[in-house]
Amino acid sequence: MTTATPPATRPRRVKPVSGTRPWVAAAFLLPALALLGALVVYPIGYSVHRSLFDASGHGFVGFDNYHEVFSDTRIRTALKNNVIWVVVAPSIATVLGLVFAVLTERVRWGTAFKLVVFMPMAISMLAAGIIFRLVYEQDPDRGVANAVWVGVHDTFAASAPYPGAHPRTGGDLTADADGAFTAKSALRAGTPAPVPLVAVKPGDAEDERAAAPARAEPGKVTGTVWLDFVRGGGGAPGRVDKGEKALSGVTVEAVRDGRTVASATTGSDGTFTLSAAADGARLRLPAANFAERYRGAEWLGPTLVTPSIIGAYIWMWAGFAMVLIAAGLAGVPRELLEAARVDGANEWQVFRRVTVPLLAPVLGVVVITLMINVLKIFDLVYIIAPGSSLPDANVLALQLYQSSFGTAVNQGLGSAIAVLLLLLVLPVVIVNIRRMRKERRR
């Protein structure tokens, strides 16, 4: 008895939803498309249209606003600063993120370090701007950056002992063009030379000893430098009175025919002694005794304001770059790294020829993301830069705001800047889309 074999059944092909029910796909896409059109397409179209009209919005001016974009000094400065931002900020943030990601793999406390580096990302741009406005404060007693900078400077260069001090007006000492003070009369060996000073800051002489009158020494010139001021009043000008403070560490020179023939430094009681060569010369107090103390760099001045703000941005976004690169590094085959080491490559060669090429897609994502981000930078510049330096730190997003909503409202010009900013972002976006398509093909 033979049994009939059942006919072969072909597997049923499942068609995609978009092929069988296009109206379902359209129904799901419609809300997203409506939002995209309302929040993206319409504003772009309106900005292009508005950029062709004047400030009132009624007079058609054609491309005059675009001509002003490239002829206005403020906007050209903003464009130049945007170029600096795009080149410098993403590059440094990516390099730092790469270094942090690679090095933290080799230490036990790498996770804690990553957490600390990534923490600034949790801070808003507003808060970060306020923080760095204080960090870059000019006064070293308040600004952290200048406190460190002044500390390093004062380690290698001694500061003036009594900044701002000077002799009484109308006395024997007269001011020179370079800030020094030179006596009118000549020094005489065996005759003490009094050097009274005033305008010494209270804190500079607070720990000084009481001044002592100089004793005459045969063949030598002696003298005393002191603060000619008695707290509460009293005393005679030009004479060492009880309670007056000595000024120690002051450099005293004897000058003849423009040359220094003798010099000395005052002791703890304010006295000094010059050699016999000072006889007949004139006493001189160099300007270094009274120069104002080093106050650090002018971080928010016209020269350094843009690099300083970029530094604040890197502080925030280096952690973002580190986390993405560390995630990519976790997917790098360890066999390739070990094979390179077995073949004799040192750690630098492994990093440069194996690790970095394998991380190229991730590095591209980080760089492109940061480039798009810095083209829109606004908050940090607006908050950190003071009013005097704001024109030098200007960027396109900030200029767009000032032109559209500032004192001289011109939304036609602001729309033209917005269109320019869009054109600058588009190439970066297109490159990113192409890169994503290539990644999918792989």
Side-chain angles (χ1 to χ4, degrees):
M1 181 176 179
T2 60
T3 57
T5 57
T9 58
R10 288 186 298 176
R12 188 175 62 180
R13 186 176 63 180
V14 180
K15 295 183 178 181
V17 175
S18 60
T20 56
R21 299 176 182 176
W23 61 272
V24 175
F28 278 100
L29 290 175
L30 188 60
L33 291 175
L35 285 174
L36 187 67
L39 301 179
V40 178
V41 178
Y42 173 74
I44 291 175
Y46 181 78
S47 296
V48 174
H49 174 266
R50 185 66 179 84
S51 68
L52 304 177
F53 289 81
D54 60 8
S56 65
H58 302 294
F60 181 79
V61 295
F63 292 97
D64 287 353
N65 287 323
Y66 293 94
H67 178 268
E68 186 174 351
V69 165
F70 293 100
S71 59
D72 189 284
T73 305
R74 299 171 303 164
I75 303 177
R76 283 189 296 180
T77 300
L79 185 59
K80 180 195 71 174
N81 287 336
N82 265 99
V83 172
I84 296 174
W85 271 90
V86 169
V87 172
V88 175
S91 304
I92 297 179
T94 304
V95 170
L96 286 177
L98 177 61
V99 172
F100 291 157
V102 172
L103 293 182
T104 50
E105 278 204 332
R106 300 176 176 272
V107 293
R108 294 181 178 178
W109 38 269
T111 303
F113 180 83
K114 289 178 182 177
L115 177 63
V116 172
V117 175
F118 188 74
M119 278 180 61
M121 282 294 298
I123 303 174
S124 68
M125 286 282 193
L126 173 64
I130 295 173
I131 291 171
F132 275 87
R133 183 66 182 269
L134 296 174
V135 168
Y136 292 134
E137 186 75 36
Q138 183 67 35
D139 186 358
D141 294 332
R142 298 179 60 191
V144 176
N146 269 340
V148 174
W149 194 251
V150 169
V152 173
H153 175 273
D154 290 349
T155 301
F156 299 97
S159 59
Y162 302 104
H166 57 80
R168 292 184 185 275
T169 305
D172 189 47
L173 289 169
T174 57
D176 298 338
D178 61 352
F181 296 95
T182 305
K184 301 174 186 176
S185 58
L187 296 169
R188 290 290 175 259
T191 304
V195 187
L197 297 179
V198 294
V200 178
K201 297 177 182 177
D204 294 340
E206 185 176 354
D207 298 329
E208 296 288 352
R209 292 173 51 184
R215 296 180 180 180
E217 295 186 23
K220 294 182 180 180
V221 175
T222 60
T224 303
V225 181
W226 80 99
L227 174 58
D228 193 14
F229 171 79
V230 178
R231 183 173 295 179
R239 187 184 68 189
V240 179
D241 296 306
K242 185 178 180 181
E244 293 181 335
K245 295 283 189 177
L247 299 180
S248 61
V250 176
T251 301
V252 181
E253 297 176 345
V255 180
R256 181 185 289 113
D257 298 328
R259 294 185 305 108
T260 301
V261 297
S263 65
T265 303
T266 59
S268 59
D269 59 356
T271 60
F272 63 89
T273 303
L274 297 170
S275 63
D279 187 29
R282 294 189 178 185
L283 185 139
R284 182 174 183 268
L285 299 178
N289 291 315
F290 316 112
E292 288 294 331
R293 285 194 176 94
Y294 183 66
R295 306 294 291 176
E298 194 177 359
W299 300 105
L300 299 182
T303 304
L304 296 177
V305 62
T306 295
S308 299
I309 300 173
I310 290 177
Y313 178 88
I314 293 172
W315 176 77
M316 292 190 65
W317 286 86
F320 166 82
M322 179 195 65
V323 169
L324 288 188
I325 295 171
L329 194 60
V332 172
R334 303 299 165 181
E335 300 81 12
L336 296 178
L337 303 180
E338 294 301 327
R341 294 188 181 99
V342 170
D343 290 341
N346 57 36
E347 291 301 322
W348 169 246
Q349 290 172 329
V350 171
F351 173 75
R352 185 166 59 93
R353 297 182 178 272
V354 181
T355 305
V356 172
L358 291 175
L359 288 176
V362 179
L363 296 177
V365 171
V366 173
V367 171
I368 290 174
T369 303
L370 293 180
M371 288 176 67
I372 296 174
N373 188 269
V374 298
L375 281 170
K376 305 179 296 179
I377 195 69
F378 169 84
D379 319 56
L380 284 179
V381 179
Y382 187 70
I383 297 167
I384 295 178
S388 58
S389 300
L390 194 59
D392 299 282
N394 201 11
V395 289
L396 287 176
L398 178 58
Q399 184 59 47
L400 187 158
Y401 169 78
Q402 291 176 334
S403 298
S404 300
F405 309 105
T407 53
V409 177
N410 187 346
Q411 294 188 355
L413 179 60
S415 299
I417 298 173
V419 173
L420 174 62
L421 198 55
L422 173 65
L423 294 177
L424 292 176
V425 173
L426 276 179
V428 183
V429 175
I430 292 172
V431 169
N432 196 29
I433 293 174
R434 288 182 176 178
R435 183 198 57 76
M436 292 172 63
R437 288 177 177 174
K438 288 181 181 179
E439 289 295 320
R440 286 175 188 160
R441 293 194 192 106
R442 292 178 184 177

